[in-house]
Amino acid sequence: MPAEEWADYAFTDEMSIEIGGLYGPCFVWREKSKWWEDDCIRAKKKQGASIMCWGMISYGWKGPFWVWESKTEEEKLRATSKILSYNKNCGEEESCLNTAWRLSEEWQELWRKELANACKKYKIKKLKRGDSKGIDSWQYVTCLAHPLLWPTCQARKLLYPDSLLMEDNTPVHDSDFTNYERQKEGINKVDWPPNSPHLNPIEHLWNIMKSRIQTQRGVERVTSAWEMKLVLKQEWEKITIEEINREVSKLPNILAQCISQKGGNKFHG
């Protein structure tokens, strides 16, 4: 697949970065043949507070960048109230959608085949409010997807009619609520394999950003949330189209290696 054809794919991802942390590679002494031995691989563990950010790229294009803000108690109460209202209207909306569907050609065809008895196409599930430890589906959809992500996808669709959105399988991306709202907006999404960060080129850009933060500041760490947010926005601005294209162009080789590993990820992308 030529690199330019990856322009149909919009890659997105979140990154969490620790405030006051040290970033970059951890070096170990090993024999040349022991790249993937368990005792030569270190698990990453965050110790302190962190900032969550989000970005979007494609071949030849750098998309929007977003830094999550902590919610106030007032905002949390307002969100809870809106969720209760949403859940209250779920049954009525589901009934209206299925009533309209039963007037469609699709339902008539099922009826002729005797497959439509007690059949419902739409099932809207009630939404549960997530805990305060991270981003939940409501926050993802109302704060990021509706105002920024999905309008960007719709604008790109004018240029690339076959465009597809790439998101990983984090619960907030693949919840019933998120999927339903995205489908209403007409956004098509890639069927993404689980546990495959090496297939997403934006992951490599996060590594570049963390490395630059570390290199430029050395032992003088970023120790406050407001400074980290500012630094992240500055580093995103420094990412070039050439760097994005380089990472996207690696995908054919990465995919080939992944196939040769029968879906494994013990290789260098």
Side-chain angles (χ1 to χ4, degrees), residues 137-149:
S137 297
W138 180 264
Q139 285 178 278
Y140 180 73
V141 169
T142 58
C143 297
L144 175 61
H146 264 311
L148 181 60
L149 170 57

Side-chain angles (χ1 to χ4, degrees), residues 5 25 41 134-135 163 217 230 251:
E5 292 189 20
I41 301 174
I135 308 301
S163 63
R217 287 159 182 81
L230 177 62
L251 280 172

Side-chain angles (χ1 to χ4, degrees), residues 202-220:
I202 201 172
E203 291 278 0
H204 301 285
L205 297 182
W206 296 145
N207 291 335
I208 291 173
M209 288 174 62
K210 286 183 176 181
S211 176
R212 287 175 177 170
I213 291 172
Q214 181 65 53
T215 302
Q216 292 174 10
R217 287 159 182 81
V219 295
E220 185 181 344

Side-chain angles (χ1 to χ4, degrees), residues 158-267:
L158 298 176
L159 299 174
Y160 304 96
D162 297 324
S163 63
L164 291 169
L165 169 64
M166 178 275 140
E167 295 177 307
D168 62 24
N169 296 304
T170 301
V172 299
H173 299 160
D174 201 34
S175 69
D176 292 311
F177 175 65
T178 303
N179 287 333
Y180 176 60
E181 293 296 312
R182 185 180 59 252
Q183 288 166 6
K184 287 198 297 185
E185 297 296 323
I187 306 299
N188 297 321
K189 180 178 170 179
V190 177
D191 187 12
W192 197 253
N195 303 317
S196 303
H198 50 292
L199 300 182
N200 189 352
I202 201 172
E203 291 278 0
H204 301 285
L205 297 182
W206 296 145
N207 291 335
I208 291 173
M209 288 174 62
K210 286 183 176 181
S211 176
R212 287 175 177 170
I213 291 172
Q214 181 65 53
T215 302
Q216 292 174 10
R217 287 159 182 81
V219 295
E220 185 181 344
R221 305 185 190 182
V222 180
T223 57
S224 66
W226 71 265
E227 185 183 5
M228 179 60 79
K229 293 173 184 177
L230 177 62
V231 167
L232 285 169
K233 292 175 182 177
Q234 291 172 343
E235 293 302 328
W236 178 259
E237 288 299 317
K238 294 177 184 177
I239 294 292
T240 66
I241 296 299
E242 290 73 23
E243 288 172 326
I244 293 171
N245 289 350
R246 183 182 67 233
E247 297 303 332
V248 174
S249 297
K250 293 177 182 178
L251 280 172
N253 180 55
I254 293 173
L255 290 170
Q257 291 186 75
C258 183
I259 292 170
S260 69
Q261 291 272 337
K262 301 186 186 304
N265 60 2
K266 290 186 175 182
F267 57 83

Side-chain angles (χ1 to χ4, degrees), residues 26-39:
C26 174
F27 296 99
V28 298
W29 289 99
R30 59 164 176 79
E31 295 180 16
K32 188 174 182 179
S33 61
K34 294 185 177 180
W35 280 6
W36 302 111
E37 296 292 333
D38 290 341
D39 58 357

Side-chain angles (χ1 to χ4, degrees), residues 115-134:
L115 298 174
N117 292 335
C119 182
K120 292 198 301 184
K121 180 175 182 178
Y122 297 97
K123 176 65 176 176
I124 303 177
K125 295 184 178 181
K126 292 184 177 181
L127 179 63
K128 293 182 179 179
R129 182 72 167 139
D131 60 32
S132 59
K133 297 178 182 178

